Amino acid sequence: MSAGERPNCSFTVLEFIDSRFRELYVESIDPNSDTTKFVRLVFLLITYLKKNRLIVFDSSSQSSCRTDIIRWGAKWDSNKGRSYFLGHKREDVVKKRKEFVMYMLDHQDFYYYPIVPVEGSLAWNIPMRNKTILFSHDESTFRSGEMAATRWFVSDLTPFYSKGRGRSIMLSELMVAHHECDLFRLSDEEFARALADYPELQEDPSENIKYFKNSATAYIEPKKDCYFDNDTLLKQFRRFFILLKYRTAFTDHKFEVLVDNATTHATKIYDITKLSKSPGTKCIYEAIEWEENGVKKRVPCFDNNGVSKGLLAIAKEMLVIEQNVKSNEILLENLRSRMLKHPAFTENTRLEQLASVFDVKVIFLPKYHCELSPIEGVWRHEKNYARKFNDQKFNSFFTLLEDSITYYLKGKFNIKIWSTFWKALNMYNIGKTYKDVMQALFGARRTGTNVKHTKI
């Protein structure tokens, strides 16, 4: 080989992994299996060769790859109809799921929940003591360019459609487990009383967030600096917590809200990354406050001269590190890691703090378990309706969104969705797996053995 030439060894490398790729294709993707370790090693090898320009994948080698993949039995097709099999078997996730299931079942008699009486149709069980109303909250995006999965076509008259998914509206809704209310709304009279006591409930036209009539159901058109971030959601939840006490049917009840673990919901009161180690640096908190053994404690973040103390000094005052530790003896990363174990940084989220002011309990769902979020069923019915009657025009899309909500309310789907929620809890309680629940209650057809997808 003459100087300066680079060998095209892609065929050799592909030939090298060919004998083991077939096994990988049919085996479970276990991160500790020999097959996975082998493929990861080959991947690192190819990455090194490409980085150092010792290997070149030209167009012919890419075509050869496709040919080989087809020969191995693979098929290029739409990536849909797959169950969510990522992370649900993690030890911490399983532990959280068990705790959630046990809490809900232990308190079931306090909730309104569906039962099947003698005549056979679903009905609501009315609690006799500690009456508690359960809510389910989430956000979802409705796109004006979406279409139904199937439709009729006439060969010479195929209709046009918008390329892409078009502009969108993001909806944040609250679903209710109650025999008089499916989605949280007030009557005109109830909302008028609330507005008289809280004038701030009147919508501000300059705000990006908008609300449906007499409710805390919010919508927003996502764009730059316009999204359901934590601050926006806290505004919505404050409105919701205020309106709760004006719903006549909810008098003398306790309230619990199910939310997922999205960062927009689970933002902590104090963000450790906002604190720097040295004094005089920028600090957004006036003080760090927490409760320990029933006693409220407080450490100011600024000295008497108004200069920020820095994380090192704060950590010493909070007794996280020894008083004689110097700045050059501990890295900022290690200091933050130790601070995260302190109650001030492990306590409630901002949402839980707000809820506690209104005597409402927030319950976070276990991660990777959307089947335990009842409001997902609301999105399913509303989006199916929106896709079915979508004309691909954004100007009429908001009206379609309102119609989809009306369709859900008229369809009496609420009690069925909550029934599925309780069935899922009972299945997990008797030892059924995530796969069992998905196949039994949600029609998941997946029968493979893969329990998670790992990027190699």
Side-chain angles (χ1 to χ4, degrees), residues 161-183:
Y161 68 94
S162 299
K163 187 176 181 180
R165 295 191 175 183
R167 292 167 65 184
S168 59
I169 294 177
M170 197 171 186
L171 183 65
S172 182
E173 181 65 273
L174 287 144
M175 178 192 188
V176 192
H178 194 269
H179 63 288
E180 293 188 18
C181 185
D182 293 347
L183 302 175

PDB file of all heavy atoms in Angstrom, residues 161-183:
ATOM      1  N   TYR A 161     -52.355  17.106   2.069  1.00  0.00           N
ATOM      2  CA  TYR A 161     -52.255  17.255   3.515  1.00  0.00           C
ATOM      3  C   TYR A 161     -51.014  18.069   3.834  1.00  0.00           C
ATOM      4  O   TYR A 161     -50.098  18.179   3.030  1.00  0.00           O
ATOM      5  CB  TYR A 161     -52.192  15.894   4.221  1.00  0.00           C
ATOM      6  CG  TYR A 161     -50.924  15.107   3.963  1.00  0.00           C
ATOM      7  CD1 TYR A 161     -49.846  15.182   4.841  1.00  0.00           C
ATOM      8  CD2 TYR A 161     -50.807  14.283   2.842  1.00  0.00           C
ATOM      9  CE1 TYR A 161     -48.689  14.472   4.610  1.00  0.00           C
ATOM     10  CE2 TYR A 161     -49.643  13.563   2.612  1.00  0.00           C
ATOM     11  CZ  TYR A 161     -48.598  13.657   3.489  1.00  0.00           C
ATOM     12  OH  TYR A 161     -47.448  12.941   3.264  1.00  0.00           O
ATOM     13  N   SER A 162     -51.006  18.675   5.030  1.00  0.00           N
ATOM     14  CA  SER A 162     -49.887  19.518   5.433  1.00  0.00           C
ATOM     15  C   SER A 162     -48.662  18.669   5.712  1.00  0.00           C
ATOM     16  O   SER A 162     -48.746  17.677   6.434  1.00  0.00           O
ATOM     17  CB  SER A 162     -50.254  20.302   6.696  1.00  0.00           C
ATOM     18  OG  SER A 162     -51.362  21.125   6.445  1.00  0.00           O
ATOM     19  N   LYS A 163     -47.536  19.065   5.131  1.00  0.00           N
ATOM     20  CA  LYS A 163     -46.305  18.347   5.412  1.00  0.00           C
ATOM     21  C   LYS A 163     -45.861  18.667   6.834  1.00  0.00           C
ATOM     22  O   LYS A 163     -45.940  19.799   7.282  1.00  0.00           O
ATOM     23  CB  LYS A 163     -45.216  18.760   4.424  1.00  0.00           C
ATOM     24  CG  LYS A 163     -43.941  17.931   4.554  1.00  0.00           C
ATOM     25  CD  LYS A 163     -42.942  18.310   3.486  1.00  0.00           C
ATOM     26  CE  LYS A 163     -41.688  17.471   3.598  1.00  0.00           C
ATOM     27  NZ  LYS A 163     -40.694  17.819   2.567  1.00  0.00           N
ATOM     28  N   GLY A 164     -45.425  17.670   7.557  1.00  0.00           N
ATOM     29  CA  GLY A 164     -45.077  17.867   8.962  1.00  0.00           C
ATOM     30  C   GLY A 164     -46.321  17.818   9.822  1.00  0.00           C
ATOM     31  O   GLY A 164     -47.391  17.411   9.381  1.00  0.00           O
ATOM     32  N   ARG A 165     -46.194  18.258  11.045  1.00  0.00           N
ATOM     33  CA  ARG A 165     -47.312  18.158  11.978  1.00  0.00           C
ATOM     34  C   ARG A 165     -47.958  19.501  12.304  1.00  0.00           C
ATOM     35  O   ARG A 165     -48.866  19.575  13.094  1.00  0.00           O
ATOM     36  CB  ARG A 165     -46.843  17.486  13.268  1.00  0.00           C
ATOM     37  CG  ARG A 165     -46.412  16.049  13.042  1.00  0.00           C
ATOM     38  CD  ARG A 165     -46.201  15.341  14.344  1.00  0.00           C
ATOM     39  NE  ARG A 165     -45.895  13.939  14.150  1.00  0.00           N
ATOM     40  CZ  ARG A 165     -45.729  13.071  15.136  1.00  0.00           C
ATOM     41  NH1 ARG A 165     -45.839  13.462  16.381  1.00  0.00           N
ATOM     42  NH2 ARG A 165     -45.456  11.814  14.889  1.00  0.00           N
ATOM     43  N   GLY A 166     -47.491  20.563  11.698  1.00  0.00           N
ATOM     44  CA  GLY A 166     -48.141  21.844  11.844  1.00  0.00           C
ATOM     45  C   GLY A 166     -47.966  22.485  13.207  1.00  0.00           C
ATOM     46  O   GLY A 166     -47.288  21.976  14.088  1.00  0.00           O
ATOM     47  N   ARG A 167     -48.594  23.651  13.375  1.00  0.00           N
ATOM     48  CA  ARG A 167     -48.570  24.345  14.654  1.00  0.00           C
ATOM     49  C   ARG A 167     -49.343  23.540  15.689  1.00  0.00           C
ATOM     50  O   ARG A 167     -50.180  22.711  15.346  1.00  0.00           O
ATOM     51  CB  ARG A 167     -49.154  25.738  14.478  1.00  0.00           C
ATOM     52  CG  ARG A 167     -48.290  26.647  13.634  1.00  0.00           C
ATOM     53  CD  ARG A 167     -49.054  27.897  13.218  1.00  0.00           C
ATOM     54  NE  ARG A 167     -49.400  28.726  14.374  1.00  0.00           N
ATOM     55  CZ  ARG A 167     -50.136  29.828  14.273  1.00  0.00           C
ATOM     56  NH1 ARG A 167     -50.595  30.219  13.084  1.00  0.00           N
ATOM     57  NH2 ARG A 167     -50.411  30.548  15.341  1.00  0.00           N
ATOM     58  N   SER A 168     -49.068  23.825  16.939  1.00  0.00           N
ATOM     59  CA  SER A 168     -49.652  22.984  17.975  1.00  0.00           C
ATOM     60  C   SER A 168     -50.198  23.807  19.134  1.00  0.00           C
ATOM     61  O   SER A 168     -49.883  24.987  19.293  1.00  0.00           O
ATOM     62  CB  SER A 168     -48.606  21.993  18.497  1.00  0.00           C
ATOM     63  OG  SER A 168     -47.489  22.687  19.028  1.00  0.00           O
ATOM     64  N   ILE A 169     -51.052  23.164  19.913  1.00  0.00           N
ATOM     65  CA  ILE A 169     -51.575  23.721  21.157  1.00  0.00           C
ATOM     66  C   ILE A 169     -51.276  22.724  22.260  1.00  0.00           C
ATOM     67  O   ILE A 169     -51.540  21.531  22.117  1.00  0.00           O
ATOM     68  CB  ILE A 169     -53.093  23.982  21.074  1.00  0.00           C
ATOM     69  CG1 ILE A 169     -53.396  25.082  20.062  1.00  0.00           C
ATOM     70  CG2 ILE A 169     -53.650  24.360  22.451  1.00  0.00           C
ATOM     71  CD1 ILE A 169     -54.877  25.345  19.867  1.00  0.00           C
ATOM     72  N   MET A 170     -50.711  23.204  23.351  1.00  0.00           N
ATOM     73  CA  MET A 170     -50.397  22.340  24.486  1.00  0.00           C
ATOM     74  C   MET A 170     -51.474  22.523  25.546  1.00  0.00           C
ATOM     75  O   MET A 170     -51.767  23.652  25.964  1.00  0.00           O
ATOM     76  CB  MET A 170     -49.021  22.684  25.049  1.00  0.00           C
ATOM     77  CG  MET A 170     -48.442  21.602  25.928  1.00  0.00           C
ATOM     78  SD  MET A 170     -46.726  21.947  26.335  1.00  0.00           S
ATOM     79  CE  MET A 170     -46.286  20.428  27.188  1.00  0.00           C
ATOM     80  N   LEU A 171     -52.076  21.419  25.956  1.00  0.00           N
ATOM     81  CA  LEU A 171     -53.193  21.436  26.892  1.00  0.00           C
ATOM     82  C   LEU A 171     -52.767  20.840  28.222  1.00  0.00           C
ATOM     83  O   LEU A 171     -52.108  19.799  28.270  1.00  0.00           O
ATOM     84  CB  LEU A 171     -54.358  20.645  26.305  1.00  0.00           C
ATOM     85  CG  LEU A 171     -55.666  20.593  27.098  1.00  0.00           C
ATOM     86  CD1 LEU A 171     -56.272  21.992  27.195  1.00  0.00           C
ATOM     87  CD2 LEU A 171     -56.658  19.650  26.424  1.00  0.00           C
ATOM     88  N   SER A 172     -53.144  21.491  29.317  1.00  0.00           N
ATOM     89  CA  SER A 172     -52.860  21.006  30.667  1.00  0.00           C
ATOM     90  C   SER A 172     -54.192  20.830  31.381  1.00  0.00           C
ATOM     91  O   SER A 172     -54.881  21.810  31.673  1.00  0.00           O
ATOM     92  CB  SER A 172     -51.965  22.001  31.415  1.00  0.00           C
ATOM     93  OG  SER A 172     -51.636  21.521  32.700  1.00  0.00           O
ATOM     94  N   GLU A 173     -54.543  19.576  31.662  1.00  0.00           N
ATOM     95  CA  GLU A 173     -55.900  19.233  32.113  1.00  0.00           C
ATOM     96  C   GLU A 173     -55.882  18.552  33.477  1.00  0.00           C
ATOM     97  O   GLU A 173     -54.868  17.983  33.902  1.00  0.00           O
ATOM     98  CB  GLU A 173     -56.556  18.315  31.064  1.00  0.00           C
ATOM     99  CG  GLU A 173     -57.970  17.882  31.356  1.00  0.00           C
ATOM    100  CD  GLU A 173     -58.953  19.030  31.364  1.00  0.00           C
ATOM    101  OE1 GLU A 173     -59.105  19.654  32.444  1.00  0.00           O
ATOM    102  OE2 GLU A 173     -59.561  19.301  30.302  1.00  0.00           O
ATOM    103  N   LEU A 174     -57.030  18.598  34.180  1.00  0.00           N
ATOM    104  CA  LEU A 174     -57.208  17.942  35.468  1.00  0.00           C
ATOM    105  C   LEU A 174     -58.448  17.061  35.406  1.00  0.00           C
ATOM    106  O   LEU A 174     -59.572  17.542  35.208  1.00  0.00           O
ATOM    107  CB  LEU A 174     -57.346  18.982  36.585  1.00  0.00           C
ATOM    108  CG  LEU A 174     -56.041  19.686  36.941  1.00  0.00           C
ATOM    109  CD1 LEU A 174     -56.279  21.141  37.307  1.00  0.00           C
ATOM    110  CD2 LEU A 174     -55.345  18.953  38.083  1.00  0.00           C
ATOM    111  N   MET A 175     -58.233  15.771  35.555  1.00  0.00           N
ATOM    112  CA  MET A 175     -59.290  14.757  35.510  1.00  0.00           C
ATOM    113  C   MET A 175     -59.707  14.422  36.939  1.00  0.00           C
ATOM    114  O   MET A 175     -58.881  14.397  37.849  1.00  0.00           O
ATOM    115  CB  MET A 175     -58.731  13.523  34.795  1.00  0.00           C
ATOM    116  CG  MET A 175     -59.657  12.356  34.686  1.00  0.00           C
ATOM    117  SD  MET A 175     -58.694  10.928  34.130  1.00  0.00           S
ATOM    118  CE  MET A 175     -60.002   9.742  33.843  1.00  0.00           C
ATOM    119  N   VAL A 176     -60.984  14.149  37.164  1.00  0.00           N
ATOM    120  CA  VAL A 176     -61.517  13.966  38.514  1.00  0.00           C
ATOM    121  C   VAL A 176     -62.162  12.593  38.665  1.00  0.00           C
ATOM    122  O   VAL A 176     -62.886  12.142  37.772  1.00  0.00           O
ATOM    123  CB  VAL A 176     -62.568  15.043  38.846  1.00  0.00           C
ATOM    124  CG1 VAL A 176     -62.883  15.030  40.341  1.00  0.00           C
ATOM    125  CG2 VAL A 176     -62.116  16.416  38.389  1.00  0.00           C
ATOM    126  N   ALA A 177     -61.917  11.950  39.800  1.00  0.00           N
ATOM    127  CA  ALA A 177     -62.604  10.701  40.145  1.00  0.00           C
ATOM    128  C   ALA A 177     -63.770  11.061  41.061  1.00  0.00           C
ATOM    129  O   ALA A 177     -63.635  11.098  42.293  1.00  0.00           O
ATOM    130  CB  ALA A 177     -61.646   9.731  40.834  1.00  0.00           C
ATOM    131  N   HIS A 178     -64.926  11.348  40.458  1.00  0.00           N
ATOM    132  CA  HIS A 178     -66.088  11.778  41.231  1.00  0.00           C
ATOM    133  C   HIS A 178     -67.338  11.542  40.389  1.00  0.00           C
ATOM    134  O   HIS A 178     -67.293  11.647  39.157  1.00  0.00           O
ATOM    135  CB  HIS A 178     -65.974  13.261  41.612  1.00  0.00           C
ATOM    136  CG  HIS A 178     -66.936  13.701  42.650  1.00  0.00           C
ATOM    137  ND1 HIS A 178     -68.169  14.218  42.346  1.00  0.00           N
ATOM    138  CD2 HIS A 178     -66.851  13.698  44.009  1.00  0.00           C
ATOM    139  CE1 HIS A 178     -68.811  14.530  43.460  1.00  0.00           C
ATOM    140  NE2 HIS A 178     -68.028  14.226  44.490  1.00  0.00           N
ATOM    141  N   HIS A 179     -68.448  11.253  41.054  1.00  0.00           N
ATOM    142  CA  HIS A 179     -69.669  10.917  40.310  1.00  0.00           C
ATOM    143  C   HIS A 179     -70.364  12.134  39.714  1.00  0.00           C
ATOM    144  O   HIS A 179     -71.243  11.990  38.862  1.00  0.00           O
ATOM    145  CB  HIS A 179     -70.653  10.169  41.227  1.00  0.00           C
ATOM    146  CG  HIS A 179     -71.143  10.976  42.388  1.00  0.00           C
ATOM    147  ND1 HIS A 179     -70.345  11.297  43.459  1.00  0.00           N
ATOM    148  CD2 HIS A 179     -72.362  11.535  42.654  1.00  0.00           C
ATOM    149  CE1 HIS A 179     -71.038  12.006  44.336  1.00  0.00           C
ATOM    150  NE2 HIS A 179     -72.260  12.157  43.865  1.00  0.00           N
ATOM    151  N   GLU A 180     -69.986  13.354  40.116  1.00  0.00           N
ATOM    152  CA  GLU A 180     -70.624  14.553  39.582  1.00  0.00           C
ATOM    153  C   GLU A 180     -69.711  15.361  38.667  1.00  0.00           C
ATOM    154  O   GLU A 180     -70.120  16.397  38.148  1.00  0.00           O
ATOM    155  CB  GLU A 180     -71.095  15.455  40.737  1.00  0.00           C
ATOM    156  CG  GLU A 180     -72.223  14.873  41.564  1.00  0.00           C
ATOM    157  CD  GLU A 180     -72.774  15.881  42.568  1.00  0.00           C
ATOM    158  OE1 GLU A 180     -72.518  17.099  42.389  1.00  0.00           O
ATOM    159  OE2 GLU A 180     -73.444  15.455  43.521  1.00  0.00           O
ATOM    160  N   CYS A 181     -68.503  14.926  38.476  1.00  0.00           N
ATOM    161  CA  CYS A 181     -67.546  15.750  37.727  1.00  0.00           C
ATOM    162  C   CYS A 181     -66.512  14.857  37.048  1.00  0.00           C
ATOM    163  O   CYS A 181     -65.894  14.018  37.705  1.00  0.00           O
ATOM    164  CB  CYS A 181     -66.867  16.729  38.689  1.00  0.00           C
ATOM    165  SG  CYS A 181     -65.762  17.904  37.903  1.00  0.00           S
ATOM    166  N   ASP A 182     -66.348  15.005  35.728  1.00  0.00           N
ATOM    167  CA  ASP A 182     -65.346  14.236  34.985  1.00  0.00           C
ATOM    168  C   ASP A 182     -64.045  15.016  34.827  1.00  0.00           C
ATOM    169  O   ASP A 182     -62.965  14.518  35.138  1.00  0.00           O
ATOM    170  CB  ASP A 182     -65.887  13.853  33.606  1.00  0.00           C
ATOM    171  CG  ASP A 182     -67.049  12.873  33.689  1.00  0.00           C
ATOM    172  OD1 ASP A 182     -67.264  12.319  34.787  1.00  0.00           O
ATOM    173  OD2 ASP A 182     -67.743  12.674  32.675  1.00  0.00           O
ATOM    174  N   LEU A 183     -64.152  16.239  34.309  1.00  0.00           N
ATOM    175  CA  LEU A 183     -63.026  17.163  34.201  1.00  0.00           C
ATOM    176  C   LEU A 183     -63.359  18.359  35.088  1.00  0.00           C
ATOM    177  O   LEU A 183     -64.503  18.812  35.127  1.00  0.00           O
ATOM    178  CB  LEU A 183     -62.810  17.616  32.750  1.00  0.00           C
ATOM    179  CG  LEU A 183     -62.551  16.496  31.736  1.00  0.00           C
ATOM    180  CD1 LEU A 183     -62.476  17.082  30.328  1.00  0.00           C
ATOM    181  CD2 LEU A 183     -61.279  15.730  32.067  1.00  0.00           C
TER     182      LEU A 183
END
